[in-house]
C-alpha cells in the first residue's frame, strides 16, 4: 500500500507566494514522485473561525480549488475536496473537544497571536481551530502532512491528541509527521522581514499574490525592504535579502547557493529586477491555467465531487471505529 499524504489551505483570502512555496510547490513535488496517495482539502470550516463575507467565501472556495490544480495538483493523481462537504471533520472535532485539556489549547501560539486583535470578541471556533485541524488529519491516517513551519505546533497537538485517544479508548489513529523543506518553510513579508507573509496581513505590499498582474509584481518587488550593505547574501544578519533569495531560489528551481553566486556582482536593484522577471514568468503560467479552470464550472465540480466521495469513503470508516471505541452505540 502507498503512504498517504494530507494537507489543506484555508480559503480565507488571496493565496500568495508563501502559500505556493511553503505548501503548493511541495505538494506537487510529492505528487510527482508517484509514491503517495494524496488528499488535498480546501479547509473552509477553518476559514470561518474569523468573520467571512458569505458571497466572497463561496468565490474563494472555488478559487482555491482551481489554484491547487493551476499550481500543479493533478486531479487524476491527487484527490481535491472541500472540508465542509464531508461532515466527518466536524463530528470528530467534537469528540476531540471532549478529551483535550484546556491547558493544551491555551498554549497554541497562533491562537494567542490572532486573538489579540479581537480580544473578548474572539470566536470559540478560533480557539478550537487546532482540534478541527487534528480531525482533518487523523481521519485519514496520513503518513506525512506537508505544511509550513508555522503549523508545527498544531501538528504536535494533533499527535498528542491521537496518542491520548489511543491510550484512553484503544488504537484508532496513526501519529502524523510534519514534512517541510527548510529554506522555503517560511516566506516573510516583503515590507517586514520579521513577520511571515500572510493572507490576513492588512498591508498589501507585504505579499505577492498568485493572481497579481505583472505590473503589480514588479512594483511590489521594487518596493520590498532591503538590508544595509549591498551584498546579495543569505545570512541571518540580512533577513530581507535572505527572504528574497529564498523566493528567487524557490521560483527559479535553483539552490540558494547558486542564486547567491549568480547574483554576486549585482546591485540590489538588478537582483530585484531579475527576481521580478522570474516571478512574472512563473505566476503568468499559473494564471493562464487558473483562468481556464475557473471558467469550466462543470469540470471543477466533477473533480470536487469525486474528491469528496473518495474522502468520505475513508473517513466514514474511521468515524465508525471511533464511535465504537468511545461507546456511542445503542
Ligand atoms: P492566514 O494569514 O489567514 O493565517 P496563511 O497565509 O498563513 O493564512 P494558511 O491557509 O494558513 O495561509 O496556510 C496554507 C499553507 O501555506 C500552510 O501549509 C502554511 O504553512 C503555508 N504558508 C502560509 N504562509 C506561509 C509563508 N509565509 N511561508 C511559507 N509557507 C506558508
Ligand atoms: N491550519 C492550516 C490549514 C489546515 C491544514 C489542515 C493543513 C487545516 N487543516 C490539515 C494540513 C492538514 C494552515 O496551514 N494554516
Amino acid at each position: 500500500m502507498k503512504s498517504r499524504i494530507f494537507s489543506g489551505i484555508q480559503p480565507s483570502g488571496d493565496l500568495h507566494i508563501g502559500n505556493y512555496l511553503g505548501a503548493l510547490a511541495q505538494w506537487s513535488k510529492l505528487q510527482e514522485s508517484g509514491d503517495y496517495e494524496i488528499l488535498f482539502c480546501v479547509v473552509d470550516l477553518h476559514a470561518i473561525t474569523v468573520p467571512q463575507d458569505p458571497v466572497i467565501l463561496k468565490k474563494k472556495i472555488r478559487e482555491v480549488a482551481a489554484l491547487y490544480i493551476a499550481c500543479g495538483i493533478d486531479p487524476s493523481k491527487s484527490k481535491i475536496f472541500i472540508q465542509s462537504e464531508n461532515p466527518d471533520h466536524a463530528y470528530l472535532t467534537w469528540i476531540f473537544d471532549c478529551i483535550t485539556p484546556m491547558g493544551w489549547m491555551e498554549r497554541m501560539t497562533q491562537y494567542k497571536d490572532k486573538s489579540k486583535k479581537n480580544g473578548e470578541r474572539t470566536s470559540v471556533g478560533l480557539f478550537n481551530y487546532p482540534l478541527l485541524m487534528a480531525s482533518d488529519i487523523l481521519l485519514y491516517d496520513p503518513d506525512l502532512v506537508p505544511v509550513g513551519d508555522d503549523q508545527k505546533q498544531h501538528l504536535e497537538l494533533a499527535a498528542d491528541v491521537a496518542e491520548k485517544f489511543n491510550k484512553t479508548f484503544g488504537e484508532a489513529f496513526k501519529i502524523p509527521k510534519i514534512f517541510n523543506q527548510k529554506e522555503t518553510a517560511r516566506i516573510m513579508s516583503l515590507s517586514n522581514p520579521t513577520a511571515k507573509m500572510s493572507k490576513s496581513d492588512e498591508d498589501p505590499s507585504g505579499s505577492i499574490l498568485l493572481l497579481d498582474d505583472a505590473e503589480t509584481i514588479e512594483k511590489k518587488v521594487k518596493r520590498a525592504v532591503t538590508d544595509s550593505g549591498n551584498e546579495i547574501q543569505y545570512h541571518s544578519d540580512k533577513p530581507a535579502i535572505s527572504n528574497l533569495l529564498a523566493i528567487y531560489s524557490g521560483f527559479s528551481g535553483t539552490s540558494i547557493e547558486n542564486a547567491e553566486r549568480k547574483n554576486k556582482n549585482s546591485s540590489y536593484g538588478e537582483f530585484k529586477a531579475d527576481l521580478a522577471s522570474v516571478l512574472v514568468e512563473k505566476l503568468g503560467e499559473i494564471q493562464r491555467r487558473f483562468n481556464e479552470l475557473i471558467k469550466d464550472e462543470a469540470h471543477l465540480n466533477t473533480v470536487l465531487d469525486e474528491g469528496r466521495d473518495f474522502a468520505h469513503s475513508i473517513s466514514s470508516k474511521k468515524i465508525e471505529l471511533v464511535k465504537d471505541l468511545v461507546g456511542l452505540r445503542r
Side-chain angles (χ1 to χ4, degrees), residues 17-146:
I17 57 173
N19 299 129
Y20 179 80
L21 293 177
L24 290 158
Q26 299 197 39
W27 298 0
S28 7
K29 240 189 249 163
L30 290 164
Q31 168 188 275
E32 289 320 309
S33 75
D35 298 336
Y36 303 98
E37 178 179 85
I38 306 185
L39 289 125
F40 291 129
C41 187
V42 179
V43 289
D44 53 350
L45 294 175
H46 278 99
I48 61 166
T49 55
V50 296
Q52 302 289 342
D53 176 321
V55 176
I56 298 176
L57 180 60
K58 283 180 192 160
K59 183 165 168 261
K60 292 286 162 214
I61 290 171
R62 291 188 80 82
E63 211 173 277
V64 171
L67 273 172
Y68 281 8
I69 306 173
C71 289
I73 305 309
D74 175 351
S76 70
K77 298 179 183 159
S78 306
K79 303 293 177 193
I80 300 174
F81 75 103
I82 296 171
Q83 184 187 33
S84 64
E85 294 185 357
N86 182 356
D88 293 342
H89 293 241
Y91 190 102
L92 186 59
T93 305
W94 179 252
I95 309 275
F96 288 163
D97 283 349
C98 297
I99 66 162
T100 307
M102 289 287 281
W104 291 9
M105 302 296 287
E106 280 160 357
R107 282 199 287 275
M108 295 294 109
T109 54
Q110 183 175 300
Y111 169 74
K112 285 197 261 185
D113 292 347
K114 287 197 176 182
S115 61
K116 263 188 213 139
K117 242 194 245 163
N118 291 311
E120 294 258 297
R121 279 174 297 132
T122 305
S123 72
V124 175
L126 191 69
F127 183 69
N128 223 8
Y129 178 117
L131 289 179
L132 177 59
M133 179 162 165
S135 304
D136 296 342
I137 297 166
L138 298 175
L139 276 174
Y140 301 97
D141 288 328
D143 298 277
L144 288 184
V145 182

